[in-house]
Amino acid sequence: MNTHASIVIVGGGIMGAGLLYHLAEEGCTDVLLIEKGELTSGSTWHAAGQCPSLVGNYNLAKIHAYSNDLYCRLEELTGQYVSWHASGGIRLGRTREDLDWFTYMQGIADNIGFRMEIIGANEIQKLNPFYNTEGVLAGAWTLDDGHADPAGLCNAMARGATNMGAKVVRHNRVTDIRPLPSGEWEVVTEKGNVVAETVVNAAGCFAREVAKMVGSDLPISNMEHHYVVTGPVPEFMDRDKEIPVMRDPYSSSYLRQEQHSGLVGVYEQDQMTEAWTPRGYPSWDSDSELFPDDLERLMPWLGRAMEQMPVIEQAGIKRVVNGAIPHSADGPPLLGPVAGLKNFWLCCGSSFGIAQGAGCGKYLAQWMLYGDSEINMTGFDPRRFGSFAGDNYMKEKGFQDYGRTYFTPLPGEELPAGRPQRTSPLYEKLKRQGCVYTETFGWERPKWFSPDGRDEECSYRRNEVFDVVRDECLTVRERVGALDLSGFAKYDVTGVDAARFLNRLCANRMPTKTGGIVLAHFLSETGRISGEVTITRMADDKYYLLSAAGAELRDLDHLLHGKLDSEQIDIRNVTDDRGVLVVAGPKSRAVLASLTAAKLDSASFRWLSGQEITVAGIALRALRVNYVGELGWELHPAMTDMEALYDAIWDAGQEFRIGNFGLYTVNSLRIEKAYRGWGAELTNEVTMLDADMERFIKLDKEHFVGLEATAKQSGQARTTRLIYFEVDATDSDVRGGEPIFDSEKCVGVTTSGGYGHFVKKSLGFGYVPPQYADPGTELRIGLLGDRRQAVVLREPAYDPANERLRA
Ligand SMILES: Cc1cc2nc3c(=O)[nH]c(=O)nc-3n(C[C@H](O)[C@H](O)[C@H](O)COP(=O)(O)OP(=O)(O)OC[C@H]3O[C@@H](n4cnc5c(N)ncnc54)[C@H](O)[C@@H]3O)c2cc1C
């Protein structure tokens, strides 16, 4: 075995093999994959092998689509049998929400380029004459997917990789992983040690155990999952075409043909069990392991599935497979770096690893080798979880995710498992005022305030919350609103080299005067966007950084890893130490003025500046900046002072009819101002120039990370551009992922949107080729099956001259 490798991958299941293959395909062949048993002997060998296209997440759908595209060619590419069955699949829809989801997904399919048709019961019957379609409203028929032999796929990718020069060592357990002073890793194995520059944990159900070797933990639960195989079905024998894989929310199951037999897999929605209970971890000698079956537990789901297709029921159960699936806490896999470690990556936590293995491998390989992937990886980055994701959290979330496999994803849905984890001191108080919370990075953050106890009926269309959000918007635009945004990530960067350090890491120039505020971006070496921070110069050697709640660990890594040994700076994550109360609206100055001796007029406290002041006797950092486009301040007191501060502001605001508002309202107000969102418009897929953010880049600075690539791009023709548009929506607004059409041709994709309640316009952002980006260009947006007229706007729909902000 080699004693050195650029990259060591721990684990030879479909995820490890998928990464190995794509690293090699990119020309990186000094890679060693180490597997403790045979390849596939973890979860992969016993999988049912289905590879669906229909997943309710745009970037995950790209991963699935890529896998399907590769798998049908893989046998030819590698010479290894994979048994690809291009059966297609049908997801059945039984409710109006299912149909709305299908039309939303149709747009995603148009964009990504996989074939999908929404078909009625008669057509479903033609494709599968044995299925009972009573109560079925429609089916989402995806034509490019199918199923394959999972071991064949895994071995084919491993073989393809070794043909290109990568190495695989089997029957060799990794027993420890140690950091070396050189910054490399020493991978200790049963057959000797390997020094690696980079290590990837692709250990499937063992991923938490491998993570422990480097002192970290992962939010993965290992769940038991069953499928049954029936005896031969005579009706299948006479057919020359295989039935599509059927997926039915009624029975929470998938059902397909396995040669001439039937195969039914069930995602039970209650009584599900963690594999290897009670500890939840496999033992190291667990290899090609199956668990005793528990058919009773599968009822009534299995019964329902059989009932829907009696020819399968009549064939009788011949074999039961009950194996382990790793489930991340929120569903998508964990692809990316481990927080706090350098050159240690994850490629695990995939509950649909067969469908995702190739796609995960491709896009993770790009990220590892080039610093960016061509798809948005934010939703897969393992740093979307922090230390809040303890044992109970991951177990409750994992169970929830498993049980909801065939639930239709609905916008705005709040799922209860594992909550609350992180709350501000205002949590209970706001709840009593009707606050409905949403969760980001463990934080409970106000989403909207129910004025009369109403609940939200989640839907792809406007619902009963629409009017409530309008009222909250008017509160902010016409009077004054308060919002608890304590979940913001916050860092103090101090030291004599702080300015130099931040100027090197950010595309924008740091403020030169104390109190100055800038919006700044971290770029990769290739010039793509990796982070967005608001930076206030508190003193010559002291900067206060704010970032998105979900980016707390990502940006902390960026800062810590970006620091040079020679730089004298201290970087502190102060997220939990300070709260954030936004007070915004034309009356915000009057409310605050009654509580502070500080001067708040524009000459004394200008827009885009910060000061340390005292409000209601509480010392705090006040920043005259906000994301809603109004006169207003963000107040950052000690977290322990949040309640007293809120109470004082609430009392003083009564005279001006102050109101609470939540993140739904923030979205409406920011889209009116054309403020871009990190993770939506600003992602690792695009550059600052693509995102029309030139004013935040200072090309005349001596240096910043990404400068060369940005300068190079600025001299070249663009390939994509961000547009801001108004659309003539009726009862559904843009959410992101919708196709943008020029006549019949799909030319782009939306990134986010919403209804601007004050300007009374449905608005959105999207990326298109430059020839469609000029203001006034007429396009069409695919909104739930309708193609709605849209026009590209030149400037923000609200206050384009920033007069309200400067007031
Ligand atoms: C019954 C069943 C049906 C399923 N059906 C489908 C399906 O139809 N479609 C689908 O997409 N998914 C399906 N899945 C899920 C799928 O099997 C998993 O998502 C996938 O196999 C996970 O792949 P992996 O590479 O992450 O993990 P694994 O396949 O478990 O690979 C991890 C490997 O790491 C090795 N390893 C661990 N620790 C070490 C160490 N210290 N040193 C060296 N090697 C180590 C293990 O031996 C193992 O081989 C099914 C799962 C089950 C249980």
Side-chain angles (χ1 to χ4, degrees):
M1 189 178 68
N2 294 22
T3 54
H4 188 279
S6 278
I7 302 174
V8 164
I9 300 174
V10 184
I14 190 100
M15 296 290 281
L19 178 61
L20 186 74
Y21 179 82
H22 289 92
L23 286 168
E25 216 189 24
E26 296 289 344
C28 174
T29 52
D30 186 15
V31 188
L32 175 66
L33 182 150
I34 305 176
E35 164 56 48
K36 72 180 179 60
E38 278 298 342
L39 293 179
T40 83
S41 62
S43 291
T44 296
W45 70 280
H46 53 55
Q50 282 100 227
C51 299
S53 306
L54 200 75
V55 282
N57 170 319
Y58 184 68
N59 292 294
L60 202 54
K62 283 188 178 167
I63 285 181
H64 282 236
Y66 171 77
S67 295
N68 288 332
D69 178 52
L70 179 70
Y71 291 162
C72 63
R73 298 180 283 121
L74 200 54
E75 201 163 309
E76 198 184 321
L77 287 171
T78 62
Q80 162 74 43
Y81 171 78
V82 304
S83 185
W84 175 254
H85 289 247
S87 59
I90 303 178
R91 165 63 149 81
L92 300 174
R94 296 173 177 276
T95 63
R96 179 184 149 138
E97 284 71 33
D98 291 339
L99 300 196
D100 281 346
W101 182 51
F102 291 173
T103 52
Y104 177 72
M105 285 304 300
Q106 176 82 68
I108 288 184
D110 287 347
N111 242 305
I112 296 176
F114 63 85
R115 289 179 299 158
M116 170 178 162
E117 290 176 23
I118 300 174
I119 56 177
N122 287 345
E123 281 163 285
I124 296 170
Q125 287 271 310
K126 279 188 210 149
L127 293 161
N128 179 358
F130 316 109
Y131 210 89
N132 173 11
T133 52
E134 202 184 317
V136 173
L137 298 179
W141 181 29
T142 45
L143 289 78
D144 294 329
D145 54 48
H147 59 96
D149 168 21
L153 291 173
C154 182
N155 282 312
M157 290 195 284
R159 183 194 278 196
T162 50
N163 286 346
M164 289 184 265
K167 303 247 170 356
V168 172
V169 174
R170 296 172 298 135
H171 301 290
N172 184 25
R173 181 158 67 87
V174 170
T175 55
D176 202 1
I177 303 170
R178 301 173 189 145
L180 293 172
S182 61
E184 295 167 301
W185 296 98
E186 183 175 43
V187 181
V188 182
T189 82
E190 289 170 335
K191 294 184 180 168
N193 297 357
V194 189
V195 173
E197 286 150 36
T198 298
V199 174
V200 185
N201 177 352
C205 288
F206 300 82
R208 286 185 73 189
E209 299 292 85
V210 172
K212 279 192 199 140
M213 295 176 189
V214 291
S216 72
D217 196 5
L218 304 178
I220 292 178
S221 306
N222 297 324
M223 304 292 295
E224 280 190 18
H225 173 61
H226 289 73
Y227 65 78
V228 303
V229 181
T230 70
V233 177
E235 287 80 354
F236 289 165
M237 312 246 185
D238 309 330
R239 286 173 58 85
D240 53 6
K241 201 162 177 359
E242 195 176 324
I243 60 164
V245 180
M246 308 298 290
R247 297 185 174 87
D248 194 341
Y250 168 70
S251 54
S252 194
S253 60
Y254 53 86
L255 188 154
R256 71 165 169 86
Q257 212 173 313
E258 170 73 356
Q259 308 290 354
H260 288 136
S261 300
L263 184 152
V264 187
V266 170
Y267 286 91
E268 61 274 31
Q269 290 172 11
D270 46 25
Q271 302 175 42
M272 61 275 269
T273 308
E274 231 181 329
W276 295 287
T277 46
R279 276 184 70 237
Y281 301 124
S283 75
W284 285 120
D285 52 11
S286 155
D287 205 21
S288 301
E289 184 174 355
L290 290 179
F291 307 112
D293 57 70
D294 184 356
L295 288 184
E296 209 171 308
R297 193 175 95 212
L298 300 192
M299 300 298 177
W301 314 106
L302 186 59
R304 282 188 181 187
M306 296 285 198
E307 218 178 82
Q308 295 307 103
M309 200 156 145
V311 296
I312 285 208
E313 187 170 25
Q314 286 147 19
I317 295 172
K318 285 283 177 286
R319 189 160 65 93
V320 182
V321 172
N322 179 16
I325 301 190
H327 259 264
S328 74
D330 60 356
L334 303 173
L335 306 174
V338 173
L341 299 182
K342 272 188 182 169
N343 302 326
F344 200 100
W345 296 72
L346 299 180
C347 182
C348 53
S350 171
S351 54
F352 284 94
I354 311 308
Q356 295 168 356
C360 290
K362 178 183 170 78
Y363 298 117
L364 183 61
Q366 291 177 345
W367 189 0
M368 290 174 65
L369 297 177
Y370 312 123
D372 286 311
S373 154
E374 71 194 71
I375 70 168
N376 181 353
M377 300 292 274
T378 317
F380 313 128
D381 190 328
R383 294 166 297 180
R384 66 190 188 270
F385 300 104
S387 55
F388 62 87
D391 267 342
N392 280 344
Y393 178 89
M394 63 183 90
K395 184 171 169 179
E396 283 182 36
K397 292 270 189 197
F399 273 51
Q400 176 179 267
D401 185 60
Y402 178 93
R404 291 177 55 86
T405 296
Y406 285 121
F407 277 39
T408 292
L410 292 175
E413 233 170 355
E414 291 303 326
L415 305 178
R419 297 175 62 180
Q421 289 297 329
R422 300 173 89 186
T423 56
S424 99
L426 301 186
Y427 178 73
E428 290 297 343
K429 183 176 288 253
L430 297 184
K431 208 169 175 184
R432 286 194 295 275
Q433 297 187 52
C435 184
V436 178
Y437 285 96
T438 189
E439 184 195 4
T440 314
F441 199 63
W443 284 102
E444 295 295 330
R445 310 205 305 160
K447 189 161 76 164
W448 62 287
F449 287 77
S450 180
D452 46 16
R454 78 180 76 179
D455 289 326
E456 179 172 17
E457 286 273 333
C458 292
S459 151
Y460 285 84
R461 297 174 192 274
R462 294 176 191 163
N463 58 17
E464 53 288 289
V465 174
F466 188 78
D467 290 347
V468 179
V469 174
R470 180 201 56 213
D471 293 347
E472 288 184 15
C473 287
L474 295 184
T475 298
V476 179
R477 288 274 184 256
E478 294 172 350
R479 304 192 310 274
V480 52
L483 167 66
D484 177 4
L485 269 189
S486 298
F488 260 151
K490 314 168 200 89
Y491 318 91
D492 277 338
V493 176
T494 49
V496 287
D497 292 321
R500 191 174 329 150
F501 166 73
L502 291 171
N503 269 317
R504 189 165 52 73
L505 251 55
C506 300
N508 206 343
R509 183 172 286 112
M510 289 308 106
T512 47
K513 291 192 189 132
T514 298
I517 296 180
V518 292
L519 185 66
H521 298 84
F522 301 146
L523 308 187
S524 66
E525 291 289 357
T526 59
R528 311 244 205 123
I529 300 169
S530 30
E532 182 180 59
V533 277
T534 303
I535 303 182
T536 308
R537 183 174 179 136
M538 304 304 300
D540 290 353
D541 59 352
K542 187 170 176 185
Y543 290 80
Y544 182 46
L545 275 60
L546 298 170
S547 178
E552 183 180 330
L553 291 184
R554 247 182 98 110
D555 288 348
L556 183 63
D557 268 359
H558 197 87
L559 293 167
L560 293 172
H561 294 344
K563 177 183 172 308
L564 303 178
D565 288 344
S566 57
E567 282 169 337
Q568 286 186 38
I569 40 166
D570 179 56
I571 298 162
R572 280 189 55 219
N573 180 358
V574 294
T575 301
D576 291 335
D577 301 347
R578 285 190 183 270
V580 180
L581 188 64
V582 178
V583 185
K587 301 293 180 201
S588 56
R589 180 179 281 130
V591 173
L592 288 181
S594 66
L595 298 169
T596 181
K599 289 192 173 154
L600 300 177
D601 60 284
S602 275
S604 317
F605 205 141
R606 65 178 174 84
W607 177 48
L608 292 181
S609 72
Q611 296 179 22
E612 300 199 81
I613 63 172
T614 300
V615 176
I618 297 162
L620 48 79
R621 294 175 180 175
L623 312 184
R624 193 173 158 191
V625 68
N626 62 62
Y627 196 50
V628 295
E630 281 302 329
L631 172 69
W633 280 261
E634 268 182 13
L635 306 177
H636 296 237
M639 190 68 95
T640 45
D641 286 333
M642 270 297 278
E643 194 169 359
L645 179 67
Y646 176 85
D647 287 346
I649 285 175
W650 193 252
D651 288 347
Q654 289 313 305
E655 188 187 340
F656 305 98
R657 292 197 295 132
I658 192 170
N660 291 304
F661 66 105
L663 293 174
Y664 275 163
T665 291
V666 172
N667 187 53
S668 172
L669 300 175
R670 71 97 199 178
I671 199 85
E672 292 182 340
K673 276 293 289 172
Y675 288 155
R676 291 133 179 85
W678 176 77
E681 287 73 43
L682 309 180
T683 74
N684 63 274
E685 300 154 284
V686 293
T687 66
M688 294 289 280
L689 299 176
D690 298 334
D692 198 13
M693 299 281 281
E694 280 93 334
R695 63 194 182 284
F696 300 104
I697 321 170
K698 297 292 174 284
L699 284 176
D700 58 344
K701 277 203 309 187
E702 196 182 317
H703 177 63
F704 63 83
V705 178
L707 171 68
E708 290 76 14
T710 309
K712 191 170 165 208
Q713 197 204 4
S714 69
Q716 293 172 342
R718 311 273 168 85
T719 54
T720 188
R721 282 196 81 145
L722 186 72
I723 54 167
Y724 173 62
F725 59 82
E726 178 185 351
V727 53
D728 76 334
T730 51
D731 67 342
S732 170
D733 301 293
V734 167
R735 336 190 146 268
E738 289 91 354
I740 303 176
F741 295 96
D742 172 42
S743 303
E744 291 307 305
K745 191 172 158 210
C746 178
V747 295
V749 60
T750 69
T751 46
S752 73
Y755 189 76
H757 285 275
F758 192 75
V759 298
K760 297 192 173 59
K761 288 177 179 169
S762 188
L763 300 161
F765 280 114
Y767 279 99
V768 293
Q771 64 268 34
Y772 303 107
D774 288 339
T777 305
E778 295 196 353
L779 296 163
R780 290 192 301 160
I781 311 292
L783 271 180
L784 297 187
D786 275 353
R787 296 203 179 165
R788 309 299 305 174
Q789 209 61 42
V791 61
V792 177
L793 301 180
R794 182 180 301 280
E795 58 185 19
Y798 178 73
D799 189 23
N802 290 332
E803 283 164 14
R804 308 285 293 224
L805 288 163
R806 292 179 214 272

